[in-house]
Amino acid sequence: MAAKPAKNRKKSSASANPMWGGHFARGPAQAMAAINPSIGFDKKLYAEDIAGSLAHAAMLVKQGILTREDGRAIEAGLKKIRKEIESGNFAFRESLEDIHMNIEARLRELIGDAAGRLHTARSRNDQVAVDFRLWVRSACDALDAKLRALQAALLAQAEAHAATIMPGFTHLQVAQPVTFGHHLMAYVEMFGRDRGRVVDARARMNECPLGAAALAGTSFPTDRRMTAKALGFDAPTRNSMDSVSDRDFALEFLSLASICAVHLSRLAEEMVIWTSAQFRFVRLSDGFTTGSSIMPQKRNPDAAELIRGKSGRVTGALVSLLTTMKGLPLTYSKDMQEDKEPVFDAAETLLLCVTAMTGMVEDMKANADAMRAAAETGYSTATDLADWLVRVCGIPFRDAHHITGQAVKKAEKKTCRLDELTLAELQAVDARITKDVFDVLSVEHSVKSRTSLGGTAPKRVREAIKAAKERWL
């Protein structure tokens, strides 16, 4: 049935929102009633909202703003509401807009007028700011734990394959031999930096906005340090207007989440490549692959592909919130209600992706023979020949580079590896080459020779694994 025109609606304070009905004569328009509520998603903040209210009530009692009797009633009521929500027995009402008003309304049903005194010296503006910070802070802790588990899985595989030879690529072309362990350690470093960004962001966001009230602070003699300490913050925020108006903590979380998602996507892409029939570097079990409805031979790396695809959701969340915040004047605007959904979705998506990647890394089986065979293609030891010419023959590197290029050309014509050329064929390119050159042309020697700090030599890889365990696990 179509809604009646606004002029025909009954003008009654009872139809207005109970939280501000004293000023409004009637309720919202139908479209407003549809666009305004946030309870559909911000009910996720129930635990944080109750924690903030408990801390605020305790502070009001200590400061003599609230009686001990009211404080005890509020505490008991809030704890009962928390149990109701966690047991699934709480009736969320869209008409009450958000999690704050839903909890406050239920509290009034339970304890009467004392519930209305809980909101003394605060506003929904600082209330949602503290709730959201608490939630994002917990998301940081969860992400750090998940990334630690992923690093542990990568380190275990790297340790098992510290000397397993594979081709290293540039432009997805065979470049130089490396070890599989060394390759995996690159991702250990990436995810380590991701964890560093999590720690940094968490430290910056760990200031409490509760008590900033609507935007200007309050005239009540509150103790913001007490509520900050009770909620595990390092200190209160320093400016009431900034406290309620900025979401840089959420933006920073989405930024670090986006970088982490990109790292996951790169590893996922390598999983897709490595599991292909053309590479066969690794094999994933049934647990992280799917079949085809028409091609019975297929084993599709869907988990990796989904991780690669979901990175777009995380980076999209960052762009969404940046766009929402970019033109807002101080202080709070209702636009900021749009801050939570992208953060909630990005956090949940990223945590799932890290979990799935950890499972794939733990699950994958390396095909050392296929990796070794691939490393011997593409003249991957050409640089070793050039380095030998510089080191042994004293030839300038640019000249050695040219000589090596001629040797590669000769091998291409013969369709053989560099180490399969005869000494005479190499000396026809440059007479200074001796039989000792064959000591450096194997992929094993190439890998073992890369002993510089951070290099792919197995002994360096094992040192890096040991150091990484001490640093991150």
Side-chain angles (χ1 to χ4, degrees), residues 140-287:
C140 285
D141 294 340
L143 179 57
D144 183 65
K146 292 285 188 182
L147 287 172
R148 184 184 185 277
L150 176 54
Q151 285 183 298
L154 287 163
L155 283 163
Q157 289 281 11
E159 194 163 27
H161 295 286
T164 300
I165 294 171
M166 71 174 290
F169 298 92
T170 62
H171 309 279
L172 204 56
Q173 305 295 311
V174 173
Q176 292 178 285
V178 296
T179 71
F180 189 42
H182 189 58
H183 193 124
L184 294 176
M185 285 300 293
Y187 287 101
V188 172
E189 293 292 326
M190 291 182 209
F191 295 125
R193 290 193 297 275
D194 288 331
R195 290 181 67 189
R197 279 182 279 271
V198 171
V199 171
D200 289 346
R202 191 193 192 284
R204 261 185 295 280
M205 74 177 65
N206 205 36
E207 294 183 344
C208 184
L210 188 59
L215 76 159
T218 178
S219 59
F220 289 93
T222 57
D223 184 351
R224 294 189 61 212
R225 289 180 177 83
M226 178 181 171
T227 49
K229 183 178 180 181
L231 294 169
F233 289 102
D234 296 328
T237 50
R238 292 166 178 80
N239 182 281
S240 60
M241 296 180 75
D242 174 60
S243 300
V244 301
S245 67
D246 207 354
R247 293 295 185 266
D248 56 356
F249 66 93
L251 288 168
E252 190 167 7
F253 174 77
L254 290 176
S255 179
L256 69 87
S258 296
I259 296 170
C260 181
V262 168
H263 288 156
L264 286 169
S265 183
R266 296 184 72 182
L267 180 53
E269 169 67 5
E270 300 222 84
M271 290 281 196
V272 172
I273 292 171
W274 291 343
T275 57
S276 68
Q278 290 72 24
F279 276 73
R280 297 182 299 108
F281 285 3
V282 302
R283 180 180 176 86
L284 297 175
S285 74
D286 295 353

Side-chain angles (χ1 to χ4, degrees), residues 195-430:
R195 290 181 67 189
R197 279 182 279 271
V198 171
V199 171
D200 289 346
R202 191 193 192 284
R204 261 185 295 280
M205 74 177 65
N206 205 36
E207 294 183 344
C208 184
L210 188 59
L215 76 159
T218 178
S219 59
F220 289 93
T222 57
D223 184 351
R224 294 189 61 212
R225 289 180 177 83
M226 178 181 171
T227 49
K229 183 178 180 181
L231 294 169
F233 289 102
D234 296 328
T237 50
R238 292 166 178 80
N239 182 281
S240 60
M241 296 180 75
D242 174 60
S243 300
V244 301
S245 67
D246 207 354
R247 293 295 185 266
D248 56 356
F249 66 93
L251 288 168
E252 190 167 7
F253 174 77
L254 290 176
S255 179
L256 69 87
S258 296
I259 296 170
C260 181
V262 168
H263 288 156
L264 286 169
S265 183
R266 296 184 72 182
L267 180 53
E269 169 67 5
E270 300 222 84
M271 290 281 196
V272 172
I273 292 171
W274 291 343
T275 57
S276 68
Q278 290 72 24
F279 276 73
R280 297 182 299 108
F281 285 3
V282 302
R283 180 180 176 86
L284 297 175
S285 74
D286 295 353
F288 291 95
T289 55
T290 64
S292 165
S293 62
I294 190 172
M295 296 168 284
Q297 84 282 8
K298 296 291 292 299
R299 181 183 289 274
N300 300 321
D302 281 9
E305 291 172 352
L306 285 166
I307 290 170
R308 186 177 61 186
K310 286 179 184 294
S311 64
R313 286 177 65 166
V314 180
T315 55
L318 173 60
V319 173
S320 173
L321 187 52
L322 283 169
T323 304
T324 296
M325 296 300 299
K326 71 174 181 62
L328 299 185
L330 297 182
T331 55
Y332 184 84
S333 296
K334 198 60 177 273
D335 312 48
M336 292 165 67
Q337 183 168 291
E338 295 299 304
D339 58 358
K340 296 165 202 66
E341 286 185 285
V343 173
F344 292 161
D345 184 73
E348 292 167 5
T349 298
L350 185 60
L351 288 171
L352 177 59
C353 288
V354 177
T355 301
M357 181 58 76
T358 302
M360 277 193 293
V361 170
E362 291 173 340
D363 181 73
M364 70 182 181
K365 304 296 182 186
N367 184 343
D369 292 339
M371 290 183 181
R372 166 62 187 265
E376 291 181 333
T377 66
Y379 309 103
S380 64
T381 59
T383 305
D384 296 275
L385 173 56
D387 288 346
W388 184 88
L389 291 168
V390 172
R391 187 172 56 251
V392 175
C393 302
I395 299 172
F397 182 79
R398 283 299 164 207
D399 295 338
H401 187 284
H402 180 74
I403 293 167
T404 301
Q406 291 180 312
V408 168
K409 187 175 182 179
K410 187 178 288 289
E412 286 177 336
K413 287 184 177 179
K414 285 190 65 179
T415 62
C416 69
R417 301 193 308 264
L418 277 175
D419 61 348
E420 292 176 328
L421 290 172
T422 66
L423 178 60
E425 287 169 329
L426 288 170
Q427 288 177 331
V429 175
D430 192 288

